[in-house]
Structures are given as C-alpha cells and as structure tokens.
Amino acid sequence: RACKLINTRSNMKLSSALATLIAFQRHGHSIWASAEERKLLLNQADAAKKVDDIVTIAMASVDAGDAQGVALPLNFVALSYGTQQLSVALRLPGVDRDQNVMIDTGSSSLAFCDKSLIEEAVNITKTDYAQCKKYDGALSCPDDPSAGDSFYVGQVFQGKITAYNSETGKDIASMDEVYFGILSNVQNYMCLGPLNGIIGVAYSALNSGHKLPYPDYNILSLWNESCQVDNKSVGSCTGNNMTKVPLPAPLEQILKEDDESGYISAEAFGLYCDYAATIGSKLDTIVPSLGIFFGGDMAFNNTFYNGGTPQVAAVGKCGEYRWYTLKLTSIRVPALNMTQSGFGQCDKCSNAYCFTDSGYSTMHLPLSKSQCNDLVKTNVDTLKKMGSMLLDIEGANSSTVTLSLP
C-alpha cells in the first residue's frame, strides 16, 4: 500500500536520477513578512546573480571544448493552483517572447500551450505526427475508472528551439531540428498562470507520436472523452489504430554520449534550487534564475560538489530506459523507531513504481497502513522536531545513497 505524503514545506517532489543533486542554499530568514518585501527582492537578486554567473562559466567551458553537457538557468513559480514549479525560458524562431515551460523529469516531450505559435513562428516544419499525453489527474468517470482529466493533444512540429536567459538577454543553448508539440487541447497546470508548456528531460523511450494517415486529420479525435466532471473533460488517449513512432527527447542532441567514470553521463541530471530565495514569492509570478538544470557531464562536475565525489544512484532498467527509476531499499524514521525495507514495487517492469518526477508536488512511499497512520497522526510541529526521514537507495557502485528529508 502506498502512503501519499504532501511536502507542505516546498510542494516540490524530490527529483533525482543516475546522478543525484539536490542543493538547497539555506540563508536569510525562513519566513518573510510583507514589510520585508524589499529584503526578499534583494535576496532573489543575489540568488539570480549567483545562478547566472555559474551558468555563464559552465557554458563557456562547454563552448571552449573543456566540458560537455548543459547548464540551464531555471525560473521559479508558485501557482495559485497549489503547486510550485521550476521552469526554463525557451524561444521559437521568429517569436520575440519567452515561453516559460516547466521542466519535468517524469516525461520526455516538449510542448507549447499557445496555438498562435503555429502562425507566428518561422522556419518550423509541420510533421506527420501528433501527440496525445495523459497524466495522473484528480477526476475519473463512474463507468471508466482508468479515465483522467489531465491531458494534452497537439500537432508535432520540428525546428530550432533556443534556451534563453531572461536576466542576461542571451541565448544559452539551442536544440536544432527538435520535435515539439503545439497544443490544440490541453487540461493541465503546465498551461496555467505564467506557464506556457512543458519540457521533459527523461529518456527518449517515453517520447513518441502518432503517425497521421493524412495531412488534415482531426487530431482532436485522439482524445476520447468518457464523461465530463465539473465542466472538465475526463477520458483517455486513443491512437485510432495509427502507428506509434518513437521520437528523440528534446535534450538528446545537446547531451553527448560521453562516458564519465564508467557511467553514460548523458543519462544524468542535477537540479539546484535556492529555496530560501523562493519563500514569499508572489503567486503566479515568474521569478527568474533561482535554480539550475545540469545535464550530462555537468551533472557530475559542477561547482556544488566543491571537488568532492558525487553520489550516484543505480537506475533500474526494463528494456529501454524510460523514467529515472530508483532502487529504494529502505525507509527510516529514527525518531518513530520506524524502518521499512523490501520493496517489490521497485523491481516490477510493468510500471515505474519507484521513479522520480519533478512535475508533481507529492511523494508516494510504499509504507504499511500502520506506518502511514503514525506519520499522518503526528502533527507537523512534532514531525519537525523529530528530525529527518531517511530514504536509502542502491548506489551505482553497490554502495548506499541516503537521502535525508527534513
């Protein structure tokens, strides 16, 4: 039985992978009063300068041929919908405005919300493919419990997409002839508030498109609505017997297949977030450069390791790589004298039970009902005083990687 824990402190799900990097900078005050808004802005400006300096140095080393991989500045947004996300600013050719897309370690597709981009963008090619993606949602239908209310449908295009730094006004990296969707129908928080889409940074095996039988095919028919609940469409994707074609993940061209200490570093990522600088941010407002996405070799070699050795978690593989799947060995809460081990869910290939996903705000842990009750019935203030929850994960070199969650 899975125990669902909501991370009320940050509302961001823990993200890790072949290379794990979560670097939270703790400085300043933890709670901001309205009278301290100026101090908050100064703190955010300092944090953004630090991020921009690190990204500039990292990408200069890539341009000089001294390093491989990518470092992208990440923006922060707290949505009134109730989730917090890290996003990256992307630009389409001929469109002189940012598309702030959430960065998602649980998927591998690139999609934009604004249908007008089809007419505005230049030098993009309409392909013979379309996509329909369904995500976990809150609603279902009485006659169809597998239906969901979180999805998108869009035509797939191909062209050059550029990662852009809004603070410095400079391009960071480009994805040439990358596949991306422009959405015709969407029901997902990736298009709420200031967000304009999603970029998935998991493995290519998760990215695919339906090959359309003819150019004017009605792609909206790829979404099969089972019912409506609270004026929302609830249903599932259908391929209508069309051929499903694998498509390369959007960052695949940037991340070279180089080898770092015996590991393919193109299969690695690291996330940095200056969490202290996010506290007190206005809802539905993009705060620039409060985080960094490290891809490829950069996930192993960056300033946050300070010359140390990164801890590398083993990644479970069932056929092709899809998600960043971890091999969870035990969950420990010492203050509650709680230890749980032996997770068969993490060994199953039919579903990615133990995978990391930065796009969601909850954590699901395979604990027993009694252990779930112990955690749920303990009030938040008591939990804070009790110390950390420890997640033990199998390391790539047969060691153990322990993640401490305060």
Side-chain angles (χ1 to χ4, degrees):
R1 177 163 180 164
C3 181
K4 180 178 179 181
L5 300 179
I6 298 178
N7 184 352
T8 55
R9 186 174 186 184
S10 66
N11 274 341
M12 280 194 288
K13 187 172 181 178
L14 179 68
S15 304
S16 55
L18 185 64
T20 302
L21 171 65
I22 300 291
F24 292 113
Q25 291 293 99
R26 310 282 184 187
H27 57 83
H29 296 287
S30 59
I31 299 176
W32 301 98
S34 58
E36 294 183 324
E37 287 183 354
R38 182 172 177 274
K39 191 171 183 180
L40 169 63
L41 293 174
L42 288 173
N43 191 27
Q44 290 179 343
D46 290 342
K49 184 180 185 307
K50 179 179 180 180
V51 164
D52 293 334
D53 288 346
I54 291 170
V55 169
T56 299
I57 293 170
M59 293 309 294
S61 66
V62 172
D63 294 339
D66 299 327
Q68 291 183 323
V70 66
L72 301 177
L74 299 181
N75 306 324
F76 171 83
V77 60
L79 296 175
S80 53
Y81 171 84
T83 184
Q84 299 179 6
Q85 295 293 334
L86 293 172
S87 67
V88 60
L90 301 180
R91 290 202 172 188
L92 282 74
V95 181
D96 191 25
R97 67 179 185 278
D98 295 349
Q99 303 297 314
N100 286 292
V101 301
M102 59 176 276
I103 194 156
D104 182 30
T105 63
S107 64
S108 301
S109 302
L110 172 59
F112 298 102
C113 306
D114 188 354
K115 289 187 288 188
S116 69
L117 293 172
I118 296 176
E119 303 298 329
E120 292 182 67
V122 299
N123 299 324
I124 64 172
T125 303
K126 182 180 178 180
T127 72
D128 297 330
Y129 311 129
Q131 289 181 322
C132 182
K133 301 284 185 181
K134 183 173 82 74
Y135 301 88
D136 290 339
L139 304 176
S140 62
C141 297
D143 321 346
D144 186 6
S146 65
D149 64 305
S150 181
F151 69 94
Y152 75 70
V153 178
Q155 175 70 47
V156 175
F157 293 82
Q158 192 173 19
K160 180 179 179 179
I161 303 295
T162 303
Y164 188 76
N165 189 329
S166 306
E167 284 287 279
T168 63
K170 296 180 180 179
D171 294 344
I172 302 297
S174 65
M175 297 170 280
D176 299 329
E177 296 307 310
V178 69
Y179 289 96
F180 59 91
I182 297 180
L183 307 184
S184 300
N185 189 13
V186 58
Q187 215 169 248
N188 187 279
Y189 55 80
M190 70 179 75
C191 295
L192 293 180
L195 290 179
N196 310 117
I198 186 171
I199 180 169
V201 295
Y203 300 117
S204 286
L206 284 177
N207 196 20
S208 63
H210 295 288
K211 186 171 175 55
L212 303 176
Y214 48 86
D216 296 327
Y217 183 85
N218 178 20
I219 64 173
L220 293 177
S221 67
L222 294 175
W223 178 248
N224 181 28
E225 182 179 293
S226 298
C227 69
Q228 285 208 354
V229 179
D230 298 332
N231 294 320
K232 289 185 176 181
S233 177
V234 185
S236 57
C237 291
T238 174
N240 294 332
N241 297 318
M242 288 184 287
T243 303
K244 207 168 186 179
V245 180
L247 300 174
L251 288 182
E252 188 175 88
Q253 296 176 22
I254 298 177
L255 302 181
K256 306 296 183 183
E257 290 290 335
D258 60 298
D259 208 83
E260 172 69 25
S261 302
Y263 307 111
I264 301 174
S265 62
E267 296 169 355
F269 79 86
L271 287 178
Y272 163 79
C273 176
D274 189 331
Y275 182 72
T278 71
I279 299 172
S281 299
K282 293 181 179 179
L283 292 177
D284 300 323
T285 301
I286 294 289
V287 184
S289 296
L290 294 190
I292 304 173
F293 171 83
F294 295 103
D297 185 59
M298 288 286 178
F300 293 88
N301 299 294
N302 59 71
T303 187
F304 298 108
Y305 286 133
N306 296 322
T309 302
Q311 295 187 84
V312 181
V315 172
K317 182 181 180 183
C318 297
E320 295 178 287
Y321 283 113
R322 291 178 171 83
W323 293 273
Y324 294 109
T325 308
L326 301 180
K327 297 181 179 180
L328 184 65
T329 58
S330 68
I331 300 171
R332 295 177 287 129
V333 185
L336 287 177
N337 197 26
M338 178 191 296
T339 299
Q340 177 72 32
S341 59
F343 304 110
Q345 298 96 326
C346 297
D347 299 324
K348 295 180 180 180
C349 287
S350 57
N351 290 288
Y353 281 99
C354 297
F355 69 100
T356 61
D357 190 350
S358 62
Y360 282 90
S361 303
T362 58
M363 180 178 295
H364 298 258
L365 296 175
L367 295 173
S368 67
K369 184 176 180 180
S370 62
Q371 290 169 329
C372 283
N373 289 337
D374 287 342
L375 289 172
V376 172
K377 291 178 180 178
T378 306
N379 65 62
V380 173
D381 289 335
T382 302
L383 285 173
K384 286 180 179 179
K385 296 175 183 178
M386 292 171 61
S388 298
M389 171 184 284
L390 306 175
L391 304 184
D392 295 321
I393 297 168
E394 182 181 323
N397 56 357
S398 299
S399 61
T400 298
V401 176
T402 299
L403 302 179
S404 177
L405 306 180

